[in-house]
Amino acid sequence: MSNLKKFNIFVIITSFAKLLVELFIPLILYDKGFSIREIILFHVLKYLFCTISIPIIYKLGSIISYSKLMLTSSIFFSATYLYLNFLNKTTLSLIILALIFAIYLMLYWIGRHTYALSIIEDKKITDNVSLYSIFTILGGIPATYIGAKILSNFGFLTLTIIVLILMLISIIPLIKIKENSTSNKTKITNIVKSFPIRNYLFTIFDQFRYIANLIFPLFIYFYIKKELGYLGIINIICGIGSVIYIYFLSKKMDKNKKDYLKLSIIFLGIIYIFKISINNSTLFLLITFFEGIFKSALDVITQRNTYAYGKNYSTKEYVIFIEMLNNLTRTIIFIIFYIMNISLKGLLVVCIIFLCITVLIKYDDGKYGYNNTKKAV
């Protein structure tokens, strides 16, 4: 079995396990008495701790294997949900939850991106990333709905145990992938200096899209329908709209040597405007289907561009740099949102505005990207 197949098995299992519960964290915090502003504070703390933990995880990754770090992430993942189950409404509890969750997130995503970048072939980046995205979506399609049913019928502890077992199983394929040790490491300071300004701008503004996706479940719960099962149905419809389109989009991208980035941003911006403008639950499901198409298309495109440019550097250092940039930006944005103290709809409007601004920025995908291919032709 190829490394890519082993990695995709890991992706589909962890995507299913993560989405069984991850989507419900803000809603559970709300049910425990935390206000919307306090939930925004939780996100501030979470991404602040993510930013702080990145250098420590990088050092650990140079001492022990990333498969062992991924194993550790499973423990912190389960600890997050166990602690959430017994959480009291205090600021200290919120801080501890954010810390545990942040450690899990960084162990998981640094490990996942490191494995992905190390096994993706230079000449098949789009094809490999599209498969990676399809397996992520396939794993997540039924997860939220199943998670809602388990949560309603059996309780949080049962759901946490199931998630822990799945996360531990998911590590097995990774153990069989030989980690690449890069002999000519790129210094992170050199990446900071050489990373293109327009890529900095695009990456920073793109975090508003990421944050919008974090806020939307709360928006749906308060403004559309207060049912956990409804969020699960939305996830299923969004996933159905994604998988087939991603497959054909990746083929078209490789054929035309074009990423369709601007077009996808425009369409997703329009769909987000529709999402915050309607309150009919049936019509919202229809909008969600189209969101699935363009949201996942944009995920594939930005991931492909980020990975393509990453081929210019040593893998681990580039992943650390990108994660640091992403999480520092998210921390700052959530701090601003916390200070602004505006409604969920107002926060989403801000996110949509910055999403639309990214249309003006052309991402440099490096010597392994489409821009260089066109020049060669």
Side-chain angles (χ1 to χ4, degrees), residues 35-215:
S35 66
I36 297 298
R37 192 159 189 253
E38 286 171 322
I39 294 171
I40 297 298
L41 175 62
F42 165 72
H43 286 305
V44 171
L45 294 168
K46 178 179 68 175
Y47 290 114
L48 176 62
F49 288 138
C50 281
T51 306
I52 294 169
S53 68
I54 290 170
I56 300 169
I57 293 170
Y58 173 59
K59 291 293 184 184
L60 283 173
S62 62
I63 300 170
I64 61 177
S65 67
Y66 275 87
S67 61
K68 289 179 181 176
L69 289 182
M70 296 297 280
L71 184 63
T72 308
S73 80
S74 301
I75 296 169
F76 277 95
F77 183 74
S78 300
T80 299
Y81 299 114
L82 281 172
Y83 186 77
L84 183 61
N85 192 37
F86 303 104
L87 186 72
N88 296 317
K89 190 189 177 300
T90 63
T91 303
L92 178 60
S93 295
L94 207 62
I95 293 170
I96 294 171
L97 178 68
L99 177 61
I100 301 170
F101 194 30
I103 294 171
Y104 144 67
L105 283 173
M106 287 301 91
L107 285 169
Y108 177 82
W109 282 110
I110 289 173
R112 177 164 162 168
H113 288 317
T114 301
Y115 273 105
L117 256 174
S118 65
I119 63 177
I120 284 175
E121 300 173 59
D122 294 349
K123 294 181 180 179
K124 294 183 178 180
I125 295 175
T126 304
D127 185 56
N128 288 175
V129 170
S130 65
L131 277 175
Y132 167 94
S133 300
I134 286 171
F135 276 97
T136 300
I137 295 164
L138 286 174
I141 283 176
T144 306
Y145 185 77
I146 293 172
K149 290 297 180 184
I150 295 173
L151 195 58
S152 301
N153 296 324
F154 301 101
F156 207 81
L157 186 59
T158 301
L159 186 58
T160 303
I161 292 169
I162 291 170
V163 166
L164 174 60
I165 293 169
L166 287 171
M167 291 295 282
L168 291 174
I169 291 171
S170 73
I171 306 299
I172 296 171
L174 287 188
I175 295 171
K176 298 181 180 181
I177 298 176
K178 187 177 180 181
E179 294 182 24
N180 296 326
S181 56
T182 311
S183 57
N184 53 334
K185 287 185 178 181
T186 310
K187 288 184 178 180
I188 295 176
T189 51
N190 291 341
I191 303 176
V192 172
K193 293 175 184 176
S194 61
F195 198 63
I197 293 296
R198 56 183 173 176
N199 288 10
Y200 269 112
L201 292 173
F202 184 90
T203 303
I204 290 168
F205 288 157
D206 191 51
Q207 300 314 304
F208 284 93
R209 177 174 65 92
Y210 176 90
I211 288 170
N213 292 328
L214 285 178
I215 295 173

Side-chain angles (χ1 to χ4, degrees), residues 57 72 249 263 331 343 353:
I57 293 170
T72 308
L249 174 69
L263 192 63
T331 304
S343 67
I353 290 170

Side-chain angles (χ1 to χ4, degrees), residues 265-283:
I265 292 171
I266 291 168
F267 278 116
L268 187 62
I270 292 170
I271 287 166
Y272 279 175
I273 291 169
F274 275 114
K275 281 187 73 173
I276 64 172
S277 303
I278 62 175
N279 54 19
N280 180 282
S281 60
T282 305
L283 184 57

